């Protein structure tokens, strides 16, 4: 694979749109992490 083909492939991968299920899963995991962090912070104040 020459340099131009490798560059074109990298650009195509970078421009690929993530599907909706992966985006939803990513936001769900982010929300779960934020919830766990805030609960841990709250619990540390009460202990």
């Amino acid at each position: 694979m020459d340099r131009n083909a490798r560059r074109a492939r990298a650009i195509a991968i970078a421009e690929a749109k993530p599907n909706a299920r992966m985006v939803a899963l990513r936001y769900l995991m982010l929300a779960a992490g934020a919830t766990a962090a805030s609960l841990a912070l709250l619990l540390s104040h009460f202990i």
Side-chain angles (χ1 to χ4, degrees):
M1 190 185 300
D2 66 341
R3 201 154 125 217
N4 285 338
R6 223 181 359 241
R7 186 169 181 267
R9 184 169 177 255
I11 290 172
I13 290 171
E15 288 179 352
K17 299 275 189 285
N19 59 0
R21 184 177 294 174
M22 287 303 291
V23 172
L25 186 63
R26 187 178 300 159
Y27 280 121
L28 186 65
M29 295 303 285
L30 186 65
T35 304
S38 60
L39 280 175
L41 192 63
L42 278 173
L43 283 175
S44 69
H45 282 292
F46 289 121
I47 292 175

